[in-house]
Amino acid sequence: TIFPFTSQLDLKALGEKVESIALEAEDLASRFPEGQEHLVEQRDEVVSSWRRLQEKASSKKSNLTQSEELQKYLNDFRDLM
């Protein structure tokens, strides 16, 4: 899977947008009770997707750190040989 975000700043900006969308959905739900159920469902889906993305980003960061440490170890090993 290709991870489209290149930095923590991208994720931070996206998080701010998700927060803004969630707040807007809550405002709309309070102003339009007839659409409240649908708006809340959509908000929850956006927030859930955001959390999954954060988890994947954290996992990728961990994997990259492990790969970097392994590469450093292998380089040190080669230098000793």
Side-chain angles (χ1 to χ4, degrees), residues 48-59:
S48 176
S49 294
W50 170 239
R51 287 186 182 133
R52 284 193 308 274
L53 178 60
Q54 287 178 303
E55 289 169 4
K56 288 180 181 182
S58 178
S59 176

Side-chain angles (χ1 to χ4, degrees), residues 6 11-12 14 31 34 51 53 58 62 64 68-69:
T6 58
L11 288 174
K12 183 179 180 189
L14 185 57
R31 291 191 291 144
E34 66 277 2
R51 287 186 182 133
L53 178 60
S58 178
S62 175
L64 287 172
E68 185 179 63
E69 289 172 4

Side-chain angles (χ1 to χ4, degrees), residues 2-3 6 13 26 30 35-36 46 49-50 57 59 66 78:
I2 296 175
F3 194 77
T6 58
E26 289 174 20
S30 68
Q36 183 176 17
V46 167
S49 294
W50 170 239
S59 176
Q66 289 175 2
R78 269 188 240 125

Side-chain angles (χ1 to χ4, degrees), residues 69-81:
E69 289 172 4
L70 176 61
Q71 189 62 45
K72 189 185 282 186
Y73 171 80
L74 292 174
N75 286 340
D76 289 346
F77 179 79
R78 269 188 240 125
D79 289 345
L80 292 174
M81 297 314 266

Side-chain angles (χ1 to χ4, degrees), residues 19-30:
E19 186 176 326
S20 172
I21 289 170
L23 291 173
E24 185 176 355
E26 289 174 20
D27 178 54
L28 290 170
S30 68

